[in-house]
Amino acid sequence: MTIALDRPGAARARSLRAPRPGLAAAAVFLVLALLAALWPALFAGDPLAADPLHVLEAPSGQHWFGTDQLGRDVFARVVHGARHSLSIGVAATLIAVGAGILLGLLAGLSHKIADEALSRSFDALSAFPLVLLALLFIAIAGTGTTSLIVAIGMALVPHFARVVRAQTFVVRRAAYVTHAVAFGAARSRLVVRHVLPNVLGPVPVLAVLGLGEAILLAAGLSFLGMGPQPPSPEWGAMISEGRGYLHVAWWASVLPGAVVTATIVALTVAGRFYQRRFEGRELA
Amino acid sequence: MITAILRRAGAGLLVLWAAATAAYLALLAAPGDTVDAIVGDGADTPGIRAQIIQEWHLDRSAVVQYLDFLLRAAHGDLGRSYLLQRPVSAVIGSQLAPTLKLAVAAAVFGVVLALLFAVTARRLTSTAGLILVSTPPFLIGIILLSIFSFRLGWFPVSGDRGFAALVLPAITLGLPIAGTLAQVLRDGLDRALDEPFAVTARARGLRESGVLIRHALKHALLPAVTMLGWSFGVLIGGTVIVEQVFGRPGLGQVTVQAVNSSDLPVVLAVVILAAAVFVVINTVTDLAYLLIDPRLRRS
Amino acid sequence: MIRVEDLRVTFQLPRRTVDAVRGVSFEIEPGECVAIVGESGSGKSVTARSLVGLAGPGARVDAVRLEVDGQDARRFAPRDWRRLRGGFAGLVLQDALVSLDPLRTVGAEISEVLRVHGERSRSARTRQAHRLLEEVHVPEPQRRAGQYPHQLSGGLRQRALIASALAAAPKLLIADEPTTALDATVQAQILRLLAERRAAGQTLLLISHDLAVVAQLADRVLVMKDGRIVESAPTKALLTGAVHTYTRTLVEAAAGRRRATGPAPGPVVVEATALRKVYGDRAVVRDVDVTVRRGEIVGLVGESGSGKTTVAQLLFGLAEPTSGQVRFEGQRFSGVPERARRPLRRRLQFIAQDPLSAFDPRWTVRRIVAEALPRGASPAPFLERVGLGEDVLDRYPRQLSGGQRQRVAIARAIAPRPSLIICDEPVSALDVSVQAQVLDLLAEIREQDGTALLFISHDLGVVRDLADRVLVMHDGRVVEQGPASAVFDRPAHEYTRELLAAVPTLEVPA
Amino acid sequence: GCSSGSPGGNAAQAGEPVSGGSLTWAVETEPITFNPHQYAQAKTRLLVWNTFEALLTHDDKGGYLPWLATGYEVSPDGRAYTFKLRTDVTFSDGTRFDAAAVKANVDQLLAPNYAPAVAAVQLKNLDKVEVRDAATVVFRLRKPDVLILDFLSSPQGAQISPKSLQEAENLKAGGPQLAGTGPFVLDRYTPGQEVHFTRNPAYNWAPPNAGHSGPAYLDEITYRFLKESSVRVGALTSGQVQLIEGVPATDESLISATPGLSLQRGLNSGSTYSYYFNTAHAPFDDVLVRQAFREALDVPAVLAGVYRKTATRAWSVIGPTSPFYDKSLENTYGANAQKANQLLDQAGWTARDAEGFRTRDGKRLTVRLVQSAPFVRDRRDVLAQAVQAAVKQSAGIDLQVQLVDQGTATKALADGAYELFDNSRADTDAGAALNLMLYSTGSINRTGFKNPQLDKLLDDAVATTDQAGRTELYRKVQQLVITDQALVLPLYAPQDQIAASRSVGGVGFEPTAGVPGSAYRLWLGK
Ligand SMILES: Nc1ncnc2c1ncn2[C@@H]1O[C@H](COP(=O)(O)OP(=O)(O)OP(=O)(O)O)[C@@H](O)[C@H]1O
Ligand SMILES: Nc1ncnc2c1ncn2[C@@H]1O[C@H](COP(=O)(O)OP(=O)(O)OP(=O)(O)O)[C@@H](O)[C@H]1O
Ligand SMILES: [Mg+2]
Ligand SMILES: [Mg+2]
């Protein structure tokens, strides 16, 4: 017979297995989103085609997500918006990752005082409200897509820089780096062959998680009217535009919002899965 | 002890100065000059421009203006709003209370909900938390507003009158915090419950709830405290959006308006204020660590 | 008191199941001291923990009979288990240093047991906690009770933990590896403490991977391997007439044996004079002279924190001495830029305690060993020398067992044909049986290549087995040195004598 | 139900006027200042007249009625305006209203760093103000300027107590410290939230068209600032406020469908909401392209899409309610895609690129409309998108809408980095608007169009005191800019909407201005 055992195990074991169906759903969703971003025409028609005779119509077989205030098909806009929102997110994340790696390595490899100064400013910046940072940047550079991307990218830099610095710190002191010294490896060689690859290991996963954050932030800023120009079907802007019609057409804002949520959930689920895999590989 | 406090204060001042200077320099680089910002969409003739330059002393060199700004800021004078024609301290001062009220209410709501979730419904936490964290807060706000205020009329649509007006915004702002915090707490609890000391506690005959509350919770709080700074960012960033959605007065509104109309003195003041709060939060975090974790206390 | 028949424990993991215990039967009578020994992962801890219903998360426990304190534990509800825990059986967990809640005082931990087992008065609990601490020989119990675990040394922590396990006066005390992770001298104290309890009539279940540790205490020894009990006999019988081959290896390893001495020492390889290293305002190494000659194995022993690793780092050029000098093969090795050291580097190698962290986790074994070789040379022969097949070549370090990893580390170290290998605790993380193999390997390499070894360990038994010459460090100084036989058999310094006395040795009746 | 802006339109439901009660009104715009001299937001005009009053007020035919002045005389050369003032008026701080007070107000307006825009525009022809006696004041002008009357009936010309001009801590921001003569007193302002007025019990000098005399009906009124239209509508439908202004077209049906609510619309005075073409560079330096753009757009269609038939289509720069409006312009142009394409072919924009846009010499027919986000209202950004879609479809014109922050917008305008400029002005006298927008040196002339003939017409219209003469001059102006030069694409006549609970009586619009009136006429029925 089996003795019923006290807690965590069961729950823990399940929590490791549970996301499987979720993971599959996330993967399917992400593939769809990617396809939508690359070939939106596969899924939907013209996102800009206005039809003054059919404004704010409820979801139907013809307009899956209904129509908006100009009679445009919300579903088509959401699909085409994937390119805008995802590319804003990806571009911002790339900026953040690139600058984060550079600054993080710089801090992790440099001497005490420089490291202290750099990592203090990462700390300060990452505790500073993201929205405020981005707003500040927009106050300087003006609104527009480019400025939005750079603003989000910059706001996320400290996040990556901190991780990279911490990782560099660990790796730099790891015994295997010491061992490489035993073979007469020069400093530059150490950095290139040991430190860099090991530091960058967790970055892709973080980038996926960061992408979610970037998209959320972009939606927020778009909502505040600091996003791409109309009629670009960016998701945040759609939610924001649709909000004015909430009484008569909830779908114009809620459905694009649901897509944003689904995207970020999917990214997070996928990112966490790989994170766990990655950590598991490190430990096992 | 005294030197430690002085060091802290000094570091705090340094952060303030750095934030103010960075923001000042950055704003200096903004397109369109100050006069443009003050003119706004009003009438614009050379005569009007000349008057503006004279009134705001914009003919002085950038260095002099910066030093003047620092000097006055050190005396607590943050200048006058270009747009609102009032002292910045008055503009911000009048909006501080509603924002603080909102932030505190949201924080309390978020923490309580997170604790409830993490301790009682651990299974549910990860999914619910994930969805909450992944939903744009303004969407949550919009939905809450249209259901509970427009349809059901339970809560006022907006403003800052009484407790009822605080409920929906605080929930909107608190939910993402609760989502993240609950996940962190849950993770921490799970981790702590697997630690040898927790097994030892069980081996003493302690019931599971006892292990949870007497041992694991404190450990789970440590990573949660680390998130204090982060939550502050989310709270302040969130107020910007939540105030917009609910038409609440507050610093968020002021900030967006100031950014939109390049009202630099106000933007600067907001940055300095945020930096000041950051310094305070940081100190509080450190103290909280000391309180919870004896290993950090120096004898 | 305990009756177990065909106990099986399996762990349901996400992707596989682990059969940790596969049919174990034994009994423990009141007043008896039973020991379980066996290699790492053989199921000792899980068996012991199953006795109090704490086999572990995700465990499935089956047994034909599981009788605890005369009751059938197979039908226990959680609250029945709780009643037993602490009251009937006190458990001292394997991970002694982290088994006390770091956020609560030692006193609070002990009173907790008392509270759970019905002591209502707070002051009574406090008083009793003090008494318990005193009983396990914690000096100044009042003060210690108010302290946090991190403020206590390892030995004190282990005592406090034992005190908390004893608090509710359990009939059975289960001590899982009570002395690992502790210094030899501290180890001895804890063993003395347990012996005391035993003398006072306490029933004991003792678990260890080191036969020498438990043999002194136990009436009966159960030897586990791969989740089964392979041999069970009274201690004396086991030591003289072990039936199972595995048990014989254990007995042999615990008894220790001198390995063949090497060739006559050659020219000086490394010479350090008047080494001194100061960290902050503390001199961690003071006036240490070390000379190692070709073909020589020099042992460096001393308690934790005495400065052994620091000396190794100074010799290896990872840290610069505050004063003093290191010469390697006649050339200056300290106080010169890394560039100047680089040509000599390959002739000086290093093996650390934890080989896992010594390998880049992203590199395969092939690449790791190849790094030490000239371009294009095959790593296979070196792996063969350390007894590893080609099948490990394309594995990652984490896919190897501890013993295999240490062999790869040795292969990498011998590949550039160094004149000196510094080994810092190279076998401390290994099982006794694996330890013996690695030590044999090191001895063999010295013999064949004439490579000199500087062998650092806090385990005197190991050093005695291997070293030609021994240096004893205490508080940053070398307090005694000389040929191994001289130092071990006729220790001159007080501290050396103390160290030696603490080493548990197995007096195998000849 | 809907009714157009006749005052007192819903008196039937609210019953006879009764005194007492307090009301909450949700408004869209929070004033950046409560000092009427600094007034710059048409949307806040309804607040000004609660506390402050001017010498004259408008009737609904483009003429003036006495208010704080009992009458005025113009000298034959048009350079001296003599006002007789009421003698029974006091400011709410107890100060008497007299000629010296009027002079003090004008002096303040001319003070450096106080109201540069007023000094430079409305008062540019003012020479000096003379106090003849306590009840008589003379405005002397350097040259004839009938717009001085418009100024003296506008918020900027409102009278503030000279005492508070001296003593107010924050003069430019205004607030409770500024005393006026109006029927209400501003006593509490919570920034970002609301402003509260209480009745001025001493009030007894309402203008003749105010509908009643004596103190206001309401004891108090609170205006809450709710920027989001959906929030305003929600507040009204859930009974949290009794009145809202600014009802988006899409929500009008909701209001009409709710029993107990009523909706009214009023057309604003001033210039219509129009797109002005930048003639300084290609492509709109070519009149053909300007005409083509106008023809390419079916204005009623886009208006119907965005505003659901609630918008009034405009044909001229001047609004249809203005006495100067030239009705003959109606149906003379527009909604002719064929003609648009013909004109564009003629202008050389013959080729099309891959996306279907017209090109000339490999350059796409791209025009930029720069909108400053903080000042966009009435869904004009949405309208711009509709226009964008329409001109692309009908004529292959690439309209790029840039919704940007104020700094960027100002910079774009200064650099000429735009081809279209959108604007409407709520001046009560349309002439004032035209002077700013069309005069070659006008402060918001963004068309780059400089024409001596046009300047002369505008000058003459300002110097002519007689209404018929002015009407004729402005007819010529409209012919020139609309028909001959196609300088402007008029879109719609701005309007205000008020939705109110049927228990509120006296809801209406200000004559001429067409914006929601002050709270003086409002009462709360049962
Ligand atoms: N909670 C658990 N989940 C999964 N597997 C476990 C768990 N606990 C133990 N095991 C596995 O059960 C087996 C026996 O473990 P156990 O801890 O009893 O070994 P041990 O003999 O005590 O070894 P050591 O000397 O290293 O302490 C091992 O293979 C181990 O990996
Ligand atoms: N980088 C350092 N900075 C400051 N103190 C150090 C440093 N490295 C070592 N120490 C201190 O020097 C002393 C000697 O340390 P060392 O590691 O040499 O001891 P050890 O004999 O190797 O001990 P163990 O047996 O525990 O490995 C210790 O007290 C340690 O805390
Ligand atoms: Mg074990
Ligand atoms: Mg060491």
Side-chain angles (χ1 to χ4, degrees), chain A residues 1-10 13 16-17 20 174-176 178-187 189 193-194 197-198 277 280-284, chain C residues 12 14 53-62 66 73-74 81 316 318 338 342 345-346 348-350 357-363 367 371-372 398 412 416:
Chain A
M1 71 146 280
T2 301
I3 296 168
L5 256 212
D6 52 0
R7 44 132 282 110
L16 268 172
R17 254 177 313 165
R20 282 304 163 74
Y176 55 85
T178 313
H179 271 264
V181 173
F183 301 109
R187 195 181 149 83
R189 192 179 139 89
R193 297 208 12 166
H194 290 285
N198 280 297
R277 283 261 302 251
R281 209 182 61 197
E282 291 293 278
L283 297 177
Chain C
Q12 205 71 46
L54 286 172
R60 193 190 142 92
V61 181
D62 292 293
L66 184 59
R74 296 183 305 167
W81 280 119
F316 192 64
L318 284 179
E338 180 63 28
R342 223 168 270 153
R345 275 289 183 202
R346 294 184 160 252
L348 177 59
Q349 288 299 316
F350 192 76
S357 69
F359 301 135
D360 192 321
R362 297 171 30 267
W363 286 22
R367 197 167 166 206
E371 189 189 21
R398 61 184 173 274
R412 175 171 72 171

Side-chain angles (χ1 to χ4, degrees), chain B residues 31-32 36 40-45 48-49 51 54-55 80 83-87 94-95 145 149-150 153 155-161 244-245 249 253 257 260-262, chain D residues 24 32 38 112-114 116-117 120-121 170 172-173 189 191-194 222 224-228 230-231 234-235 238 240 373-375 405-408 410-411 443-444:
Chain B
D36 286 341
D41 78 339
D44 183 1
T45 65
I48 294 175
R49 284 184 168 256
Q51 275 207 25
Q54 196 196 349
E55 180 187 353
R80 209 145 55 88
L83 183 69
L84 300 173
Q85 306 286 7
R86 278 182 292 152
S94 66
Q95 302 295 301
L145 190 66
S149 194
F150 297 165
F155 299 102
V157 283
S158 84
D160 177 32
R161 289 200 289 194
Q244 205 77 14
V245 171
Q253 295 269 24
Q257 191 184 29
N260 267 326
S261 51
S262 302
Chain D
T24 308
I32 43 188
Q38 305 284 338
N113 298 341
Y114 179 65
V121 179
N170 238 319
K172 284 175 122 183
Y189 168 49
Q193 192 147 221
E194 61 187 34
T222 307
R224 297 183 60 187
F225 311 121
L226 301 182
K227 216 161 83 190
E228 292 300 324
S230 56
V231 174
S238 56
Q240 299 170 46
F375 295 99
D405 62 294
Q406 180 58 38
T408 309
T410 313
K411 190 161 166 15
S443 66
I444 39 180

Side-chain angles (χ1 to χ4, degrees), chain A residues 46 48-50 52-53 55-56 69-70 72 77 138-139 141-144 225 227 229-232 241 243-248, chain D residues 228-231 233-234 248 250-251 253-254 301 304-306 308 373 379 382 385-386 388-389 392-393 401-405 408:
Chain A
D46 187 356
L48 303 182
L53 296 179
V55 297
L56 300 175
Q69 67 277 11
L70 291 176
R72 298 174 298 199
R77 288 177 68 70
I138 289 169
T143 47
Q229 298 295 317
S232 137
E241 283 175 40
R243 171 173 62 138
Y245 306 94
L246 200 61
H247 295 287
V248 281
Chain D
E228 292 300 324
S229 61
S230 56
V231 174
V233 173
T250 40
D251 285 335
S253 55
L254 185 75
V306 179
R308 296 231 162 145
R379 305 220 159 129
V382 179
Q385 291 182 52
Q388 183 177 46
K392 179 188 173 189
Q393 251 160 27
V401 183
Q402 303 181 349
L403 195 65
V404 296
D405 62 294
T408 309

Side-chain angles (χ1 to χ4, degrees), chain A residues 208-261:
Chain A
V208 169
L209 295 174
L211 179 58
E213 195 155 357
I215 292 176
L216 205 57
L217 191 56
L221 290 170
S222 278
F223 176 78
L224 293 177
M226 323 244 162
Q229 298 295 317
S232 137
E234 201 272 332
W235 292 342
M238 290 178 67
I239 304 173
S240 177
E241 283 175 40
R243 171 173 62 138
Y245 306 94
L246 200 61
H247 295 287
V248 281
W250 57 269
W251 52 88
S253 54
V254 172
L255 292 181
V259 172
V260 172
T261 305

Side-chain angles (χ1 to χ4, degrees), chain C residues 26 29 82 87 134 139 267 290 304 320 365 451 459 467 487 498 508:
Chain C
F26 64 93
E29 301 299 334
R82 277 207 300 275
E134 203 170 344
V290 185
S304 183
E320 284 296 321
V365 169
T451 313
D459 186 340
V487 173
E498 212 176 292
V508 184

Side-chain angles (χ1 to χ4, degrees), chain C residues 312-347:
Chain C
Q313 286 177 339
L314 294 175
L315 293 179
F316 192 64
L318 284 179
E320 284 296 321
T322 311
S323 66
Q325 213 192 56
V326 180
R327 299 185 75 84
F328 181 72
E329 293 189 337
Q331 299 183 36
R332 276 193 65 170
F333 202 67
S334 65
V336 295
E338 180 63 28
R339 200 189 312 274
R341 279 199 284 254
R342 223 168 270 153
L344 297 173
R345 275 289 183 202
R346 294 184 160 252
R347 308 202 35 76

Side-chain angles (χ1 to χ4, degrees), chain C residues 44-46 94 176-177 207:
Chain C
K44 307 182 294 289
S45 301
V46 171
Q94 178 165 7
D176 192 352
E177 309 263 11
I207 295 169

